[in-house]
Amino acid sequence: MGMCTISSLRGIALGFAPWGRVNDRPKRSATPRRPAVPGDRLTQEDRRCIAVWLTEGLTYTEMANRLNRSKSTITREVARNGGAGYRADHAHQMTRIRARRRKPIPLPATPANFVAYGRDPKAVFAFERRLGELLIGMGCPRMVAKILSCLFTADSGKLTSAELVQRLRVSPAAVSTAVGWAEGQELLVREHGARRKQRYSLEKYGGHRAVLASARATLLLAAIHREGAEILGPTTPAGARMDKAGTYLQLVSQDLADSAERRMREVFGD
């Protein structure tokens, strides 16, 4: 019977707790019951031992050591199968039912734009990954970078939430959160289509709105520097430094906005 002691089973059969007196408590062996592979699934025998050890008052750490498993494995097993009312056979049956319910996650189909126009899918995929890594290196959140990379390489420049979920193999909530951040930074545009479907697209003018948003942010930074200069005193060393920085940032902001408008008309003709 392995580590499930005869004395503990006798106590359960007679209806009393075997830990009533310290001297009556069965000896615990620190030797693993069997050379189980950590992370391997619990067997029905393992679960019966866990049930016995729970009545003996063993800790999860002691049970884990005897079964050569992690403590989290034992904790999760007991918690999801009744807690203090854990029953081995019931736990084993429920585990088998849950396993049958699980369905394999289908692999997403290769996006059409990967193979369109005779493109090399591997080259397109590699480029998409490099683009995402570049955006991440520039401070863009990882999920936002992946979404923008998908939109950049899509011929339509537009993808629905469902298409992004399938393509990136992430949850709808992850897409929604990332899109919300990107929309706030004016990196993409949200469009409402038929049947309440939302599509996300890149800006028409190749990032023009994002550049203007950056110019506005720089202008706000210039204003706070000017305010700091007034508070610190423009004639003090700190105040003078803040005043010069504010002037510089304001000029850069204005140059950036003017250049963005001029170049947009030159390139896009609007």
Side-chain angles (χ1 to χ4, degrees):
M1 192 170 291
M3 300 307 300
C4 304
T5 59
I6 300 298
S7 58
S8 61
L9 291 176
R10 185 184 299 116
I12 295 172
L14 295 176
F16 64 86
W19 60 89
R21 291 183 299 170
V22 174
N23 292 335
D24 292 339
R25 193 169 185 172
K27 294 182 180 180
R28 303 171 184 169
S29 172
T31 305
R33 182 178 57 82
R34 62 179 177 82
V37 178
D40 192 17
R41 293 185 179 182
L42 293 171
T43 65
Q44 189 168 15
E45 183 185 354
D46 294 334
R47 292 187 168 92
R48 287 172 178 168
C49 287
I50 290 174
V52 172
W53 291 334
L54 283 171
T55 64
E56 291 182 350
L58 268 67
T59 65
Y60 291 144
T61 301
E62 291 173 311
M63 297 182 200
N65 290 338
R66 292 189 178 189
L67 293 176
N68 194 21
R69 307 299 176 93
S70 66
K71 179 182 175 182
S72 61
T73 297
I74 307 302
T75 304
R76 186 167 53 250
E77 167 68 19
V78 175
R80 73 188 307 184
N81 291 298
Y86 181 88
R87 291 182 293 126
D89 292 340
H90 175 74
H92 193 68
Q93 181 181 5
M94 292 306 298
T95 300
R96 295 178 63 181
I97 292 174
R98 284 191 291 266
R100 286 197 296 267
R101 288 175 181 170
R102 296 192 188 103
K103 296 181 179 179
I105 300 175
L107 293 176
T110 303
N113 60 292
F114 273 29
V115 295
Y117 302 102
R119 296 167 179 150
D120 180 358
K122 292 183 179 179
V124 176
F125 181 72
F127 168 76
E128 188 175 292
R129 292 191 61 179
R130 290 201 308 273
L131 178 58
E133 291 170 359
L134 175 62
L135 293 173
I136 293 170
M138 295 172 63
C140 190
R142 181 172 297 276
M143 185 54 60
V144 175
K146 291 182 177 181
I147 290 175
L148 291 177
S149 298
C150 288
L151 291 173
F152 274 119
T153 56
D155 286 306
S156 65
K158 300 178 181 181
L159 292 171
T160 65
S161 177
E163 288 171 334
L164 289 171
V165 166
Q166 182 188 28
R167 188 160 169 178
L168 298 174
R169 299 182 66 184
V170 295
S171 68
V175 170
S176 178
T177 301
V179 165
W181 186 93
E183 190 177 18
Q185 300 297 316
E186 301 192 50
L187 296 174
L188 53 77
V189 179
R190 186 194 303 257
E191 301 176 358
H192 297 277
R195 298 182 180 179
R196 297 184 179 180
K197 286 186 177 181
Q198 294 185 345
R199 293 192 303 176
Y200 310 112
S201 63
L202 298 171
E203 187 204 347
K204 177 182 177 182
Y205 298 114
H208 176 67
R209 292 172 58 189
V211 172
L212 292 183
S214 177
R216 289 193 296 269
T218 304
L219 188 60
L220 290 174
L221 191 58
I224 197 69
H225 275 75
R226 290 289 182 82
E227 182 181 347
E230 290 295 328
I231 294 174
L232 295 169
T235 58
T236 65
R241 185 171 62 250
M242 294 284 282
D243 184 62
K244 289 181 179 180
T247 301
Y248 167 76
L249 292 171
Q250 182 176 1
L251 292 172
V252 169
S253 173
Q254 188 61 52
D255 290 344
L256 183 60
D258 292 343
S259 177
E261 291 290 343
R262 184 174 66 256
R263 298 306 182 187
M264 181 195 71
R265 290 191 293 270
E266 290 177 2
V267 173
F268 297 100
D270 292 347

